Structure formats: C-alpha cells, structure tokens
Amino acid sequence: MSEPSQAPHPCAEAPANTATAPTPLPAFADDLRTAQALRAGDEAAFVALIDRYHVAMLRLALVYVSDRAVAEEVVQDAWIRVLRGIHGYAGRAALKTWLFHILVNCAKTRAQRERRSVPFSALADDADDADEAPIDADRFLPPDAPRHPGGWLAPPHAWDELPEERLLSRETYARVEHAIVALPPRQREVITLRDIEEWTAEEVCNFLGLSESNQRVLLHRARLRVRQEIERYLREE
Amino acid sequence: MMRTPNSLTCREAVDLITDYLDAALPSPLLTTYERHLTACPECDIFLRQIRSTIWLTHRLALQPAPPGTREAPLRVFRAWKNGDQTILHDTFDI
C-alpha cells in the first residue's frame, strides 16, 4: 500500500520562481527523512525502525495469527513490503500508520490462508461484542434491590495492601499477557494499541476504522477483563 | 441511555471509568462521578485497580526485545539494498 507519487505531472509548467512558491512541507517531515534515508540504503535508519517497531508488529500480528512462527513470517513479509513500497511513501500519513497498515494486511491475508487448513469452528472470528454479558455484573446488587440498588455486593479489595513483589512479579505479567491473548479479537486489537503500545485514541480509531465511542467500549471491556484476571491471580494463595 | 443524574450507583460509576480516564465525561457528569468517588471507597479502589491494570499492561511493551531480533529483518534490508531478489521472494501471494 503506497501513497501516490509526488512527481510533477509531465504537462505541468515548472514554477517560475520557486522562492515565492515553496513546496508545502509534508505533514510528517521527520518520517519522510527516515524514508529517504532508507531509500539511500542507510542501515542505521532501518535498525532504528526495527528497534522501534518490530516487537510491536509481532505482537499485533499475533492478534490475527495465533502461531508465533507464522507471526514472525508475517512480520518478515511486512518488512519486505515496507522496503519495496518505501519509494511511494510521501510523508502524508505517519510512517508508523503506513507501516502498521502493511503489517495488518499481511497478517489478515496470512490468517485467511491458514483458515483454509484449519476447521472453521476452531477459529475465533470477528465476534460481535455487542451481545457480550456485562463483566463483573455479579458484583453488584440488582437495580431493583430494596437497599443500595446498583451498589457493591462483592466490593474490590485494595491491591496496594499486598506486598509489591507480588503485584510486580513475572507471574503477574504472564497473567496479564494471557488475559489479553484470551480477549475477543476486537478488544484485543484496541487494548494492544491503546494500552500496550500507547497509541492515542484518535490514532486507534483511524487505524481500526472505529468511532470514538465504539473504540472506548471495546477498551473498557478489555480493561475490565484484564483487571478481573489480575484480581483472580492475586487472590490465589 | 444515561439520565443526567445527581448521583450514580456504583455499577454506573464502573461503567464510566474508561470515559473518565479518557477525559470524555461531559462536565456535569464528571462532577457527579468525582463526587461519587470521594464518597465511595470501593469505587475509588476499583478505579485504582484499573489504573494499575493499564500500568501493568503497558509494561508488556517495556520488555527488552529477544536477542537476535534484528537478524532476520536486517537480512531482508541488506538483500533489498543489494537488489538480491531471491531473499525477497514472497512466501505467499496476496
């Protein structure tokens, strides 16, 4: 996926005086400089991209293809396409966005191919989350309870009363990761980009084609589930 | 659909947590929500747990890349730079 070339139309006249008719700066000038460096074969510029994005690309690929080896192939393929398409990148969109669109296209295409050899029922498709039961619903009194309707039935217990080593242990992180992997795909997409990768809400909405409110509902549910999983872990002896 | 409430149940307050953290609560509702938090220690705890959850989630991104991460992409880059088509052969068709 590449942007239209900025080469002047063959029939266009050259501007008579370029000093008074400057070319407007592309919106993402730094990214354009990176792209130009890559085109010039600057390996350090590419290493900087790897360091910055490779792990995140792998993580996002795993939302669409569950096998890690396949995800690594997907990311490798994405890098190939990034380099092949870099001549067409003109700095109008953020390089990050452009790069991750390529990544997701590769991942989804590969996921489609994998599906042909796996029973359809074994794969979680793009489930409609609208009918999902509210999370933590059983922790509250019903709306028609005679006293404190909608109040806490099973209130949360503070985590900061636990020793810090417990909260920050490797096992906690493993449980957080596990909780995210278990999320419905659309929730997983949003929490991965918003909370793991810290993309802005606007970036995520544009990238995933979601309304702000839709994105927020998905994020809300995802966070509640992950919180619940952490709580369950911390309650275990 | 939310009425414009003067007060919130705890259930309603939990429903608003993500809006609150995204600074997306309209002003009167924000005031009501913050007032609820002040009066309700359990909801305050729950909010702090959500904040901890976000913090822990983000830390997944802070783990160092495994050794050798750069190898495969660098091979691609060097091949591309040298015009070597064999390594760039697609593993599959689009």
Side-chain angles (χ1 to χ4, degrees):
Chain A
M1 177 174 166
S2 62
E3 294 166 300
S5 165
Q6 279 190 323
H9 192 279
C11 297
E13 278 187 342
N17 184 349
T18 50
T20 56
T23 316
L25 228 88
F28 297 91
D30 283 345
D31 285 347
L32 187 57
R33 269 192 286 278
T34 302
Q36 287 163 346
L38 293 178
R39 276 178 236 153
D42 182 343
E43 188 169 294
F46 188 69
V47 167
L49 272 192
I50 299 170
D51 289 351
R52 196 163 171 197
Y53 295 127
H54 185 93
V55 171
M57 290 163 75
L58 189 59
R59 187 175 292 117
L60 193 58
L62 283 164
V63 176
Y64 307 102
V65 299
S66 51
D67 183 89
R68 192 179 177 89
V70 173
E72 284 174 0
E73 286 177 13
V74 164
V75 176
Q76 189 77 337
D77 198 61
W79 283 125
I80 292 169
R81 288 171 198 280
V82 164
L83 291 170
R84 283 184 161 167
I86 199 72
H87 63 277
Y89 174 78
R92 290 202 194 95
L95 186 63
K96 175 174 87 173
T97 309
W98 181 77
L99 192 150
F100 275 87
H101 270 301
I102 290 174
L103 185 273
V104 170
N105 285 342
C106 288
K108 286 183 172 175
T109 305
R110 185 64 184 267
Q112 284 279 80
R113 281 172 53 106
E114 299 296 307
R115 252 162 223 171
R116 291 195 198 113
S117 56
V118 177
F120 182 82
S121 58
L123 289 164
D125 214 311
D126 221 16
D128 186 344
D129 306 303
D131 299 327
E132 186 187 42
I135 302 140
D136 293 325
D138 56 350
R139 301 188 71 143
F140 298 98
L141 293 162
D144 55 359
R147 295 181 67 219
H148 307 300
W152 286 101
L153 181 59
H157 300 289
W159 292 346
D160 43 23
E161 286 158 10
L162 294 163
E164 198 175 83
E165 315 88 66
R166 189 88 205 281
L167 187 60
L168 301 182
S169 71
R170 188 170 299 176
E171 179 62 22
T172 309
Y173 292 118
R175 295 290 278 254
V176 170
E177 187 138 40
H178 174 82
I180 290 171
V181 166
L183 290 171
R186 278 156 35 96
Q187 292 179 25
R188 186 175 169 187
E189 278 177 324
V190 174
I191 198 172
T192 297
L193 292 175
R194 283 289 314 263
D195 288 352
I196 302 180
E197 305 301 340
E198 293 193 330
W199 288 26
T200 66
E202 190 183 346
E203 284 176 328
V204 172
C205 290
N206 290 337
F207 185 75
L208 295 177
L210 295 170
S211 69
E212 197 183 314
S213 62
N214 203 345
Q215 172 249 177
R216 201 167 293 124
V217 165
L218 291 167
L219 181 62
H220 182 76
R221 289 177 180 161
R223 285 174 175 172
L224 287 184
R225 285 186 179 215
V226 176
R227 188 216 67 89
Q228 192 182 67
E229 181 61 28
I230 295 169
E231 181 180 66
R232 282 176 187 155
Y233 162 63
L234 292 175
R235 277 206 178 135
E236 291 165 9
E237 213 300 306
Chain B
M1 169 146 169
M2 291 290 301
R3 58 177 200 262
T4 313
N6 291 324
S7 66
L8 294 167
T9 68
C10 297
R11 174 96 191 257
E12 288 168 338
V14 165
D15 284 345
L16 293 177
I17 272 183
T18 304
D19 292 330
Y20 171 69
L21 291 171
D22 267 0
L25 285 183
S27 188
L29 189 50
L30 174 61
T31 308
T32 307
Y33 177 80
E34 287 176 331
R35 195 163 52 229
H36 181 95
L37 283 185
T38 311
C40 181
E42 290 89 2
C43 280
D44 187 62
I45 286 172
F46 196 89
L47 174 61
R48 284 194 271 120
Q49 288 178 350
I50 291 289
R51 284 202 159 113
S52 297
T53 299
I54 296 167
W55 187 85
L56 285 166
T57 300
H58 175 59
R59 292 188 80 75
L60 294 177
L62 303 181
Q63 293 164 343
T69 293
R70 289 177 180 180
E71 272 175 36
L74 259 183
R75 268 202 304 277
V76 162
F77 180 80
R78 288 166 182 164
W80 169 78
K81 183 174 169 178
N82 294 329
D84 178 355
Q85 291 303 309
T86 56
I87 201 169
L88 298 180
H89 186 74
D90 283 354
T91 55
F92 56 88
D93 295 310
I94 289 284

